[in-house]
Amino acid sequence: MGMKSAGNRAGNRAGIAVGVLWVATFGLLAIGLLLLASLDVRLVQSGREWPGLQVGLARRQLAWIGVGLLLAWTASRVDFRRWRQLAVPFAFALFVLLTAVLIPGVGVAVLGARKWLCLWPLGWLQPSVLATGALVLFMAWWYQMDARRTSLLDWIPVAAMLGFAALVFVEPDIGTALLVVLTGTAMMVFGRAQFQHVVVGLFLPVALLSWLIDRDPFAMGRLMAFFARDPASPVDVPTFFLALKGGGWLGAGLGNGHWARYFFPDAADGLVTAVIGEELGFVGLLGVIGCYLAMLGSGVYIGAKAPDRFGALLGYGIVVALIAQVVLNVLVVTALLPLRALPLPLVSRGGFSLCVPLVGVGVLWSIANACGENRPEAEGAETDDGRPPPPSQKDRNALA
């Protein structure tokens, strides 16, 4: 009776966490819609066409929000444990798509980066957007099994992470490749991987990136321009600071910012953070950061109360991937990282890039729905697929 009561309390608290999660999510979606509507007005006033940026940003964003919310609701209705069956097929399919992007005539190059595939009836698809999600799912599936800790097979998650990161890097998309490495490393820590796996997974990509930058004149020039603060740099970092400073505490107001037009077309993508700082001010930025922190706290709580190890790892991975992308975006906008800014999740314009975090929220909701259940490992009950739980390390040592 007491155990059932404890389960009910855990379920109720998880329900509160889900409520906080959705309030923060809708807050970010609303801010993004307002900013895109403001940019629509600027596009009309400019009287010129911008490559990759057309009037109707808010309308298209609203349509994609509808699609993303539908997918999120669908994901919340599916038992999260069913995702285990898709972990390996999804990772393999994404590996194929990331490879296909690099094949001339198959992948489509835009602005010098070969990131896109045209898949009927989905239209344009950017496989790298799915890389962190596929990696989180695969690593959660892998590290749920405590038995795999002493063989060469333990290097498979490291190889998967490095393979995804390498394929994304050569598109080239350095920011997303770095996001994949950071997310994968965090998953190895959560999964209690061996120390050498974490070290290799984190430092090998850094060493390889340094070597490639040294051999690439454009990348080296971009890095030197970053440190020298060269106005001719592909990314005018000081302008970001001017936008952030110009907003003050309360901002210039929607549509009244001075610097946003200098960010086209990236003002609707990664540089939307600078637009927030100028038009909504420091208070607006704090509100956005507060929403992300609320999502982080809710996601961590849901993961901690998950009924099994797979749910815990999956919940942690979803929020880590989201927050890591936010951190990388802020580091670029504040001139601490010489890369192209990644989209700000749930705020920047997006198609599939908007749907992916919403699906993650739906999966967290599904995990929260099961938070009142007892952990099979703790109760000695059967696992969700009907098999008895694996023996603990203590039992295996006794048998040996």
Side-chain angles (χ1 to χ4, degrees), residues 331-352:
L331 289 177
V332 172
V333 173
T334 54
L336 297 176
L337 199 62
L339 300 174
R340 186 182 183 90
L342 293 172
L344 194 63
L346 302 172
V347 177
S348 297
R349 67 165 173 175
F352 286 105

Side-chain angles (χ1 to χ4, degrees), residues 222-265:
R222 182 169 186 158
L223 187 64
M224 297 305 295
F226 170 80
F227 286 112
R229 294 294 189 264
D230 185 357
S233 171
V235 176
D236 188 9
V237 176
T239 305
F240 302 168
F241 275 125
L242 292 174
L244 292 172
K245 284 180 58 179
W249 280 95
L250 300 179
L254 287 172
N256 296 325
H258 172 73
W259 293 101
R261 65 180 183 272
Y262 293 102
F263 303 150
F264 287 161

Side-chain angles (χ1 to χ4, degrees), residues 135-213:
L135 185 65
V136 165
L137 181 59
F138 177 79
M139 286 190 159
W141 169 78
W142 181 272
Y143 287 121
Q144 69 169 336
M145 298 175 284
D146 289 326
R148 297 179 180 177
R149 287 293 180 272
T150 58
S151 69
L152 290 176
L153 292 177
D154 284 341
W155 288 97
I156 289 179
V158 182
M161 181 192 73
L162 295 179
F164 281 164
L167 289 172
V168 173
F169 180 86
V170 298
E171 290 181 356
D173 189 347
I174 301 175
T176 303
L178 183 58
L179 176 63
V180 169
V181 170
L182 292 177
T183 303
T185 303
M187 289 298 293
M188 284 190 283
V189 173
F190 294 143
R192 299 195 293 270
Q194 295 183 26
F195 179 72
Q196 61 265 30
H197 298 164
V198 179
V199 171
V200 171
L202 183 60
F203 290 102
L204 183 61
V206 173
L208 180 61
L209 176 62
S210 302
W211 179 76
L212 290 173
I213 288 178

Side-chain angles (χ1 to χ4, degrees), residues 22-378:
W22 276 111
V23 168
T25 299
F26 279 114
L28 293 170
L29 292 174
I31 291 172
L33 269 177
L34 288 174
L35 291 172
L36 292 175
S38 172
L39 289 176
D40 272 334
V41 174
R42 291 176 177 275
L43 287 173
V44 173
Q45 292 175 347
S46 68
R48 57 172 292 190
E49 294 184 0
W50 298 87
L53 204 60
Q54 294 84 30
V55 176
L57 291 171
R59 184 181 68 252
R60 289 188 292 272
Q61 184 80 347
L62 189 60
W64 277 109
I65 287 175
V67 173
L69 290 176
L70 178 60
L71 293 174
W73 181 84
T74 303
S76 72
R77 299 300 94 187
V78 176
D79 190 326
F80 73 90
R81 284 160 285 215
R82 293 184 177 272
W83 289 96
R84 281 193 290 212
Q85 303 170 11
L86 298 177
V88 175
F90 186 29
F92 178 77
L94 187 63
F95 184 85
V96 172
L97 291 175
L98 289 173
T99 304
V101 164
L102 304 177
I103 301 175
V106 178
V108 179
V110 178
L111 298 178
R114 191 175 294 276
K115 301 180 182 181
W116 300 89
L117 287 174
C118 185
L119 298 178
W120 188 90
L122 298 177
W124 293 101
L125 174 66
Q126 187 177 351
S128 58
V129 171
L130 304 172
T132 52
L135 185 65
V136 165
L137 181 59
F138 177 79
M139 286 190 159
W141 169 78
W142 181 272
Y143 287 121
Q144 69 169 336
M145 298 175 284
D146 289 326
R148 297 179 180 177
R149 287 293 180 272
T150 58
S151 69
L152 290 176
L153 292 177
D154 284 341
W155 288 97
I156 289 179
V158 182
M161 181 192 73
L162 295 179
F164 281 164
L167 289 172
V168 173
F169 180 86
V170 298
E171 290 181 356
D173 189 347
I174 301 175
T176 303
L178 183 58
L179 176 63
V180 169
V181 170
L182 292 177
T183 303
T185 303
M187 289 298 293
M188 284 190 283
V189 173
F190 294 143
R192 299 195 293 270
Q194 295 183 26
F195 179 72
Q196 61 265 30
H197 298 164
V198 179
V199 171
V200 171
L202 183 60
F203 290 102
L204 183 61
V206 173
L208 180 61
L209 176 62
S210 302
W211 179 76
L212 290 173
I213 288 178
D214 183 61
R215 295 175 60 87
D216 186 346
F218 177 79
M220 179 57 72
R222 182 169 186 158
L223 187 64
M224 297 305 295
F226 170 80
F227 286 112
R229 294 294 189 264
D230 185 357
S233 171
V235 176
D236 188 9
V237 176
T239 305
F240 302 168
F241 275 125
L242 292 174
L244 292 172
K245 284 180 58 179
W249 280 95
L250 300 179
L254 287 172
N256 296 325
H258 172 73
W259 293 101
R261 65 180 183 272
Y262 293 102
F263 303 150
F264 287 161
D266 290 333
D269 299 318
L271 301 189
V272 72
T273 310
V275 179
I276 294 173
E278 183 180 21
E279 298 193 354
L280 301 182
F282 187 65
V283 172
L285 279 176
L286 285 180
V288 171
I289 293 172
C291 287
Y292 285 122
L293 290 178
M295 296 185 74
L296 173 63
S298 300
V300 168
Y301 181 85
I302 292 171
K305 298 300 180 181
D308 58 26
R309 182 171 170 78
F310 174 74
L313 292 172
L314 188 59
Y316 293 150
I318 289 171
V319 291
V320 162
L322 179 80
I323 299 304
Q325 185 169 341
V326 175
V327 171
L328 289 176
N329 175 279
V330 172
L331 289 177
V332 172
V333 173
T334 54
L336 297 176
L337 199 62
L339 300 174
R340 186 182 183 90
L342 293 172
L344 194 63
L346 302 172
V347 177
S348 297
R349 67 165 173 175
F352 286 105
S353 63
L354 178 65
C355 294
V356 168
L358 286 174
V359 170
V361 172
V363 174
L364 287 172
W365 189 2
S366 175
I367 298 173
N369 289 337
C371 279
E373 302 175 7
N374 296 322
R375 292 176 179 261
E377 298 87 349

